[in-house]
Amino acid sequence: MAQPWDLVFFTGSGRVGKIIARAAADTLTPVVLELGGKSPVVVDKDLPDLTTMANRIAWGKTINAGQTCVAPDYMVCHKDQVENVSKAIVSRLDFMFGKDPSQSDFSRIVSTQHAQRLYDMIVEAEKGGAQVLCGGSAKCDPTNKYIAPTVIAKAPKGSRVLTEEIFGPILVIREVDDMSQAIQTVNDMEGTPLAIYIFTSNKAVCDKVLDRCPSGGAIRNDVLLHFAANLPFGGLGTSGYGNAHSDWSWRTFTHERAFMFKPCHPAFEFGDIRYAPYAKYGGNSGKAFIALIKLLPNIPVLNTRLIWTSIGMVGVGYGMAAFGPAGVRTGLADLIDSASGVLRSVAAGLR
């Protein structure tokens, strides 16, 4: 990082992202940061299909054992649906991985250090009175990098599962009275989430959450998929800045350099209106120059297709008016011949 680069693209934690950004500032190197954060799932009382929703949340929380930057971190659920939703997610986890997920193809944690961190988070929540709906510390084996899919309700305020990015197969469910409280709960969390997932059959509710909860990206009624779609993917604030994926990767790694060519010819001086003295033309030469710049098309790039189309339309109109249908060909031929001579003269003078 002590060397100057055209661009630095970093994916990782916010802590290391700050180090990268500080180092890049010394060489004025532009940086794109894809970080993480606590990406919430917001569940409204007006649910879409319950089983489909539970499948999607369970999948998003457990793919690669929750070790993705866009994994659902916690759920904020309307009190009228929290029991139904919780039971459905636990049921789908059981269907996907069986009664003992350690014997299934469920992923392992990347390191024993990270597994121990997740285990300690579960233990802390349990000691603080959290309700474990499935999984839990008793079913984990951090020495072998196994953390069971765990769903927790009523986590104690200030516990690590509520304050740190989990980055593992632990889903915390928080109950709220209404969507206003859900929005407040999301916004009270530290930082800006990389993603927000809104499950509702009511578009107005989704729009309300989107309007009031900033995030890097968002999905209604699904999770994770915006990461792979033809959409700009990136964070906001503490979850990063800049975009990538699909067309946006090309834009990110490309410098759009402006270039202009203008013929050095008196025909393009327009009465010297941009040059001093500025009292000419009644003192309006400056205003006239600005107006000219706004009105003129790009010069001298000639849109030949447009020119010939315009000439053709004029020729057709002239031929029809003067000679009727039989005169169209004659009118076109005369205009094209005249226009070709003018364009050849102009082109010769611009060289």
Side-chain angles (χ1 to χ4, degrees), residues 142-348:
T143 57
N144 289 310
K145 300 185 285 189
Y146 172 70
I147 299 296
T150 299
V151 179
I152 296 175
K154 304 184 187 310
K157 186 177 181 180
S159 58
R160 293 172 66 189
V161 291
L162 294 180
T163 58
E164 298 180 16
E165 180 182 4
I166 293 174
F167 210 74
I170 306 167
L171 180 66
V172 181
I173 299 178
R174 306 183 68 176
E175 181 179 325
V176 294
D177 293 334
D178 51 38
M179 282 299 99
S180 294
Q181 187 181 3
I183 290 168
Q184 189 63 51
T185 300
V186 171
N187 288 337
D188 283 345
M189 301 295 286
E190 184 178 352
T192 306
L194 184 57
I196 184 168
Y197 306 116
I198 308 160
F199 284 86
T200 179
S201 59
N202 189 329
K203 180 180 181 298
V205 170
C206 179
D207 291 342
K208 181 178 180 180
V209 176
L210 290 175
D211 288 343
R212 301 187 184 183
C213 295
S215 65
I219 306 180
R220 177 183 171 191
N221 292 343
D222 213 328
V223 297
L224 272 67
L225 295 186
H226 68 303
F227 181 86
N230 185 24
L231 293 168
F233 176 79
L236 178 68
T238 56
S239 56
Y241 46 80
N243 288 309
H245 296 190
S246 190
D247 296 345
W248 286 267
S249 290
W250 178 264
R251 299 176 191 178
T252 293
F253 288 95
T254 301
H255 170 65
E256 297 183 14
R257 181 171 64 174
F259 170 74
M260 179 179 181
F261 162 68
K262 188 176 181 209
C264 194
H265 191 280
F268 293 92
E269 293 298 82
F270 304 105
D272 294 340
I273 61 174
R274 63 168 158 165
Y275 304 126
Y278 298 111
K280 57 182 179 290
Y281 305 116
N284 292 315
S285 60
K287 293 180 180 179
F289 180 56
I290 294 172
L292 183 67
I293 292 174
K294 291 181 179 179
L295 292 173
L296 283 177
N298 293 332
I299 299 175
V301 179
L302 301 177
N303 190 329
T304 55
R305 180 177 297 177
L306 179 61
I307 289 173
W308 290 116
T309 301
S310 301
I311 290 172
M313 293 301 292
V314 172
V316 169
Y318 168 73
M320 285 289 292
F323 307 106
V328 170
R329 182 178 298 178
T330 302
L332 276 173
D334 289 344
L335 275 171
I336 291 172
D337 185 61
S338 299
S340 297
V342 172
L343 289 175
R344 283 193 295 271
S345 298
V346 171

Side-chain angles (χ1 to χ4, degrees), residues 45-69:
K45 66 177 179 179
D46 296 325
L47 295 179
D49 182 76
L50 180 60
T51 301
T52 303
M53 182 187 75
N55 267 331
R56 292 177 178 183
I57 295 172
W59 169 78
K61 181 74 261 191
T62 56
I63 188 170
N64 198 38
Q67 298 168 106
T68 67
C69 60

